[in-house]
Amino acid sequence: MSKRKLIIAGNWKMNKTPAEASAFIKALKPLVKGSKNEIVCAVPFVDIQTSITAARGSRIKIAAQNMHFEEKGAFTGEISGQMLKEMGVKYVIIGHSERREYFGETNRSVNKKVAAAFKCGLKPIICVGESLAQRDAGLTADHVRYQVKAAFVDIPAEQAKKAVIAYEPIWAIGTGRTATTEQAEEVCRLIRMTVKELYSKRVSSVIRIQYGGSVKADNAHELFSMEDIDGGLVGGASLKLDDFATISAG
Ligand code: 13P
């Protein structure tokens, strides 16, 4: 079977104003015109409108970086999936390690958000990954498997196969210390096996698994060539036009 369609997503985190987002996406459009990959920019909430307008007529899709699991109500400061969907958002990052670490995101809230995202027609990019202490203690496999299983509780197969899972070892995020291709492939393969156990061989063979953590223009394509790595979730390098265009090429 040929490999799955690669999905390259830039996670801008808390960077770029609406005007900067618009200018960036307009400049990115011609640079990625020839790519066959799926290209996504996960922008701050307030940049969504200008980003979607700027991306019109291109293959660039816009994602959000978080959402709330409730449909609506008294949740000051939160954004619902329906709000994002109506704006034209296609993907939503869920459970990024920065949200788990700084904003109290748990496996339980990740699971509720995954369910809520599917309910309103958004595709989740579910982030998992171990800390350095967990890796050093030999807990990577247990930890990542648990995160994957917890994220998919009560999610039916027909939805699960549309999810993207991003393996992001915390020790590789923003540190310039990329996992080796072998380390990244090993865990991405483990994630695929876990999906197979949870669902079926069919679901595990179509679900896309990204690697994230110091993906750069000079290491991206080797990582993406691995059997179980179907693209990347890119932080710092996604803010630089030429770098992100190079990473997205293919
Ligand atoms: P960096 O690419 O800056 O290491 O960030 C990775 C990340 O957290 C993407 O979600």
Side-chain angles (χ1 to χ4, degrees):
M1 197 191 104
S2 66
K3 212 177 135 175
R4 298 150 291 269
K5 186 181 188 124
L6 296 189
I7 174 165
I8 318 297
N11 175 10
W12 289 8
K13 308 191 179 182
M14 197 171 72
N15 292 290
K16 296 192 193 294
T17 65
E20 289 167 348
S22 174
F24 184 92
I25 288 172
K26 281 182 186 158
L28 182 65
K29 273 159 90 165
L31 304 182
V32 297
K33 215 173 162 190
S35 174
K36 292 188 197 66
N37 299 331
E38 194 167 1
I39 298 167
V40 180
C41 292
V43 306
F45 288 131
V46 295
D47 295 353
I48 289 172
Q49 189 72 72
T50 59
S51 298
I52 284 178
T53 304
R56 229 166 250 156
S58 79
R59 52 190 304 105
I60 302 166
K61 293 177 182 154
I62 303 303
Q65 299 173 13
N66 180 34
M67 60 174 271
H68 198 269
F69 48 76
E70 293 290 349
E71 284 174 25
K72 59 180 164 181
F75 302 101
T76 303
E78 292 294 329
I79 301 283
S80 76
Q82 193 54 45
M83 293 171 189
L84 300 172
K85 175 73 179 169
E86 195 175 309
M87 293 186 87
V89 167
K90 302 289 184 208
Y91 287 93
V92 55
I93 298 175
I94 290 179
H96 190 279
S97 61
E98 286 151 17
R99 295 219 55 89
R100 294 180 193 253
E101 185 176 350
Y102 307 134
F103 303 102
E105 195 87 75
T106 63
N107 284 329
R108 178 81 188 110
S109 64
V110 167
N111 176 235
K112 286 163 92 169
K113 289 180 181 192
V114 169
F118 278 126
K119 195 171 173 197
C120 58
L122 296 169
K123 292 181 190 167
I125 299 175
I126 304 161
C127 301
V128 299
E130 80 288 1
S131 66
L132 190 57
Q134 287 169 321
R135 177 160 282 263
D136 288 344
L139 295 171
T140 299
D142 284 347
H143 178 72
V144 170
R145 277 171 59 80
Y146 190 84
Q147 284 184 317
V148 171
K149 288 183 181 178
F152 284 96
V153 170
D154 289 336
I155 305 295
E158 286 313 297
Q159 293 182 341
K161 69 179 191 193
K162 297 188 194 130
V164 177
I165 302 174
Y167 167 55
E168 298 206 303
I170 295 168
W171 48 271
I173 294 177
T175 57
R177 189 181 158 195
T178 320
T180 65
T181 41
E182 291 73 24
Q183 284 173 327
E185 167 64 14
E186 186 183 13
V187 181
C188 289
R189 175 173 292 266
L190 173 84
I191 291 170
R192 201 174 300 287
M193 296 311 295
T194 307
V195 171
K196 186 177 164 194
E197 280 169 41
L198 287 176
Y199 295 99
S200 64
K201 175 135 180 48
R202 196 175 69 86
V203 173
S204 75
S205 66
V206 296
I207 199 167
R208 290 179 298 174
I209 303 172
Q210 298 173 314
Y211 168 78
S214 298
V215 173
K216 306 287 177 210
D218 61 6
N219 61 24
H221 294 284
E222 191 185 334
L223 285 158
F224 303 163
S225 73
M226 302 304 280
E227 176 61 31
D228 290 291
I229 302 179
D230 307 313
L233 187 55
V234 187
S238 76
L239 300 169
K240 299 182 200 138
L241 203 52
D242 290 340
D243 288 15
F244 192 58
T246 303
I247 294 167
S248 301

